[in-house]
Amino acid sequence: MDSAKTPQHPGPGAAAAGPVSTRFLAGRKALVTGAASGIGRACAEGFAAAGAEVYVVDRVAEAAEEVAGAIGGIAVVADLSEAEEVDALPSDADIVVNNAGLQHIAPLHEFPPDRFTLIQRVMVEAPFRILRRTLPHMYAGAWGRVVNISSVHGLRASAYKSAYVTAKHALEGLSKVVALEGAAHGVTSNCLNPGYVRTPLVERQIADQARAHGIPAAEVLDQVFLARTAIKRLIEPVEVAEAALWLCAERSAHLTGASIPLDGGWTAH
């Protein structure tokens, strides 16, 4: 065949050739919620290191400003339980990382309805509102990445977490709808499903878990957090951030509508 007449586009598998540039997100804007600590901070740091301009969204102003200053990002202070504040977030993000969340542990028959509602607002309604604002920008640029920090509890249930499990399952459904609607516009949407991550959210659960399960606080790590995992350690936030970055690389462009367990083998049971 005359090579001059061969189409000059890469064939299947060609995107996997060669190393990924360390600044492969240069020129992109990423919006990360709950970005002042834990997984959110690790994602903000990772995306900034990859060249993206990062909107550091958090309700704690001082912490958001500290992270933004450290990475050269933009602090955006917002309470995601307030619809008006969510609707005022930047709409020009090419990448959205829906990470912000909270937890409450109690038997369902004792679960405070107002707490249940709050968790749905922050972890389901806020991601919906954020994507409703940012998808038109992604569509206009024919490129976008939505990374939803779900949980193993988006795939499995645990006792005493009715609001959190409900919210994570809902986020899984929202992610899949975005994957279907966004595919024609160069937008992918996926969930990451970590088990217990070494974050303030997990650390704050220890006393509540001990009380709910009737065990000493010192036994919560082994008997609750790691009881169903094959790998007996907490996940580090940077491990989740690295997976989020991988989902934004061009070589991952065919992966959408997926839920990726980072659970140490929990869902292998």
Side-chain angles (χ1 to χ4, degrees):
M1 179 182 293
D2 185 349
S3 60
K5 298 179 181 180
T6 302
Q8 297 302 304
H9 57 78
V20 175
S21 167
T22 57
R23 304 279 294 176
F24 69 97
L25 293 179
R28 304 293 189 188
K29 293 183 178 180
L31 186 151
V32 182
T33 66
S37 66
I39 295 171
R41 177 168 188 152
C43 286
E45 292 171 343
F47 279 88
E53 182 177 27
V54 181
Y55 292 119
V56 179
V57 180
D58 205 280
R59 66 188 183 94
V60 183
E62 184 177 353
E65 289 164 3
E66 187 272 320
V67 174
I71 67 172
I74 301 169
V76 182
V77 180
D79 183 345
L80 299 190
S81 70
E82 299 293 337
E84 297 81 4
E85 296 190 31
V86 178
D87 289 344
L89 292 175
S91 61
D92 62 345
D94 306 293
I95 299 163
V96 169
V97 181
N98 286 310
N99 166 72
L102 64 157
Q103 182 62 276
H104 188 87
I105 296 169
L108 194 145
H109 65 283
E110 298 176 0
F111 209 99
D114 60 340
R115 196 69 175 169
F116 186 96
T117 300
L118 173 64
I119 289 173
Q120 308 315 306
R121 285 208 305 268
V122 172
M123 296 170 58
V124 183
E125 184 177 341
F128 159 75
R129 287 181 175 272
I130 289 168
L131 293 172
R132 184 174 181 272
R133 284 179 57 74
T134 55
L135 282 174
H137 170 78
M138 297 183 196
Y139 290 176
W143 192 94
R145 297 290 181 267
V146 178
V147 181
N148 297 298
I149 307 300
S150 182
S151 166
V152 68
H153 285 113
L155 306 173
R156 300 287 189 271
S158 289
Y160 312 122
K161 294 185 174 182
S162 56
Y164 189 85
V165 170
T166 298
K168 291 303 188 183
H169 275 68
L171 184 63
E172 296 278 330
L174 178 65
S175 182
K176 290 179 173 63
V177 170
V178 174
L180 296 179
E181 294 186 8
H185 305 280
V187 175
T188 67
S189 176
N190 294 286
C191 287
L192 293 176
N193 301 76
Y196 288 101
V197 183
R198 194 185 305 279
T199 65
L201 180 67
V202 166
E203 291 168 355
R204 287 193 293 267
Q205 290 184 48
I206 292 176
D208 291 340
Q209 289 280 11
R211 185 164 47 253
H213 289 273
I215 59 176
E219 297 179 11
V220 168
L221 182 64
D222 289 334
Q223 292 196 28
V224 179
F225 291 168
L226 303 179
R228 286 168 283 191
T229 67
I231 299 173
K232 299 298 183 181
R233 67 169 177 84
L234 296 177
I235 304 161
E236 299 299 330
V238 69
E239 294 178 274
V240 183
E242 289 289 344
L245 275 169
W246 178 77
L247 287 173
C248 295
E250 287 306 316
R251 62 181 59 195
S252 306
H254 202 69
L255 181 61
T256 196
S259 301
I260 303 173
L262 301 173
D263 61 3
W266 184 329
T267 52
H269 288 282

